[in-house]
Amino acid sequence: MNSSESTGSIPRWNKVYRHGDLDDWKYPGPALAVLGHPISHSLSPVIHNAALARMGQRFEGWRYFAFEVPVSELAEALPLFHEKGFVGLNLTIPHKVEALTLATSVDPLAQRMGAVNTLIRGDAGFSGRNTDGYGLQEALKQDLKVELAGATVIILGAGGAARAAVVQCLEAGCRKVWVGNRSADRLSELVNVVGGENTSLATFPLSNPPQDLPENSVLINATSLGLKEGDSSPISLSSFPGSLKVYDMIYSPPETALLMEARNRGMHTANGLSMLVHQACQSLAFWTGAAVPVEAMFQACA
Ligand code: NDP
């Protein structure tokens, strides 16, 4: 879709737009959007519009759109979204970190995570929050019956998603949080940023996983290894107890090599779809101030 194609027509939620299309933006109701690059694969419009459709007359005209915004264009795009009256925005790869400096304010949790995935309209611009940690916590509860308070958690990765996971685990009172990553530099950077002094946090090399884990520990894949067809697993599960629960933030493909190995070992597993839905649910609650029907979101992407 380009600017000329949008001329004269009311925007449709099931198309991908570019921020140039905002010059001629004709959507008459309250608009929300996800910004990313690439974005065409995103399930967010489907999930959010399904929930809005169930939220009653007050939200009848609300729509959620997808915009392809390359990294170099975010700074100039955000003021345009504000000018056009967008109520809120979600940010996905590669915008979550840069948005920290572009938001008018950032709430303390998102600040600690070093990433923003939700922008909320204010008078002068958008303020930033992060709902990924909440999404993960709810997903673990729902899919694996894991309560973070008191839990032992092993997190793989040290990028934005891993940071959000580590901060959420520490905030929620995990007993122990182990983090392992391929690159040692990025791992120590994560520890310095999110909790260098915290005695509940420990690191390990992926080739030497922690031993003597308590029953029902949970392992979370927050690396991007598994996204591509034929990707291997970031870690071998051979030294983990059979009671280990395994959550992969990746939901496409629905079963990564890691999840397949876990399933073959009889471990309890789940993929990242539930995290995606729960983070979306909290974002929509922030924008609307209303109760969000999370089951409508799950049905929409089933
Ligand atoms: P980043 O690019 O910030 O981080 C990528 C991480 O993956 C790094 O730790 C990197 O390690 C590691 N990695 C990449 N390739 C390999 C490899 N070949 N072997 C071992 N480790 C590797 O990405 P994000 O943190 O933003 O996202 C991580 C994953 O989480 C993605 O798959 C994303 O789709 C998913 N995600 C899912 C969400 C959901 O709602 N379900 C929400 C957010 C993210 P290194 O430092 O060594 O490069």
Side-chain angles (χ1 to χ4, degrees):
M1 176 88 197
N2 59 36
S3 308
S4 59
E5 283 175 278
S6 76
T7 302
S9 59
I10 292 177
R12 290 174 26 202
W13 69 263
N14 54 355
K15 287 192 169 190
V16 173
Y17 293 87
R18 295 192 63 95
H19 79 268
D21 293 316
L22 291 176
D23 294 342
D24 190 38
W25 188 249
K26 290 200 163 48
Y27 188 69
L32 302 162
V34 59
L35 280 49
H37 180 69
I39 200 64
S40 56
H41 67 285
S42 175
L43 289 175
S44 292
V46 172
I47 293 174
H48 282 274
N49 287 312
L52 285 164
R54 294 258 201 100
M55 287 171 69
Q57 215 179 350
R58 200 175 133 210
F59 299 101
E60 212 172 316
W62 288 56
R63 288 293 179 278
Y64 186 106
F65 301 90
F67 280 76
E68 180 79 45
V69 178
V71 67
S72 58
E73 294 176 14
L74 184 67
E76 70 173 71
L78 288 184
L80 278 175
F81 281 99
H82 194 264
E83 193 186 308
K84 294 295 174 181
F86 277 69
V87 179
L89 303 171
N90 274 142
L91 301 166
T92 184
I93 291 174
H95 300 312
K96 291 184 189 182
V97 175
E98 194 192 354
L100 274 177
T101 57
L102 299 173
T104 49
S105 63
V106 174
D107 97 312
L109 185 66
Q111 200 71 257
R112 276 201 294 289
M113 291 171 172
V116 158
N117 78 334
T118 305
L119 290 172
I120 302 162
R121 184 183 183 78
D123 291 341
F126 293 103
S127 61
R129 301 193 69 154
N130 193 312
T131 66
D132 281 337
Y134 166 86
L136 175 65
Q137 184 164 358
E138 291 301 304
L140 293 174
K141 219 185 291 179
Q142 176 178 320
D143 286 347
L144 299 179
K145 311 287 174 267
V146 168
E147 290 290 345
L148 288 181
T152 295
V153 178
I154 305 105
I155 295 169
L156 310 179
R163 260 197 207 189
V166 170
V167 170
Q168 191 73 25
C169 286
L170 294 175
E171 292 283 323
C174 279
R175 190 159 70 107
K176 191 85 190 173
V177 181
W178 291 94
V179 197
N181 190 51
R182 177 179 60 175
S183 111
D185 287 354
R186 209 153 172 214
L187 184 57
S188 26
E189 194 186 317
L190 177 148
V191 171
N192 289 337
V193 172
V194 306
E197 302 300 309
N198 197 316
T199 52
S200 302
L201 185 61
T203 63
F204 67 95
L206 291 178
S207 56
N208 187 18
Q211 305 293 313
D212 302 324
L213 292 165
E215 290 283 300
N216 294 320
S217 298
V218 58
L219 181 138
I220 299 165
N221 180 33
T223 77
S224 45
L225 188 60
L227 276 176
K228 292 198 295 287
E229 188 90 8
D231 269 359
S232 58
S233 171
I235 200 164
S236 162
L237 297 176
S238 59
S239 67
F240 287 96
S243 63
L244 186 77
K245 297 179 172 184
V246 182
Y247 191 84
D248 200 323
M249 287 194 189
I250 294 171
Y251 54 86
S252 179
E255 188 176 68
T256 58
L258 173 73
L259 289 187
M260 192 183 293
E261 183 187 346
R263 181 169 55 81
N264 288 337
R265 290 180 181 277
M267 294 166 172
H268 198 173
T269 64
N271 73 23
L273 195 62
S274 46
M275 176 178 172
L276 180 82
V277 167
H278 284 292
Q279 63 77 30
C281 185
Q282 193 183 46
S283 294
L284 193 54
F286 286 154
W287 296 321
T288 59
V292 174
V294 71
E295 66 289 351
M297 291 183 154
F298 276 108
Q299 281 162 13
C301 58

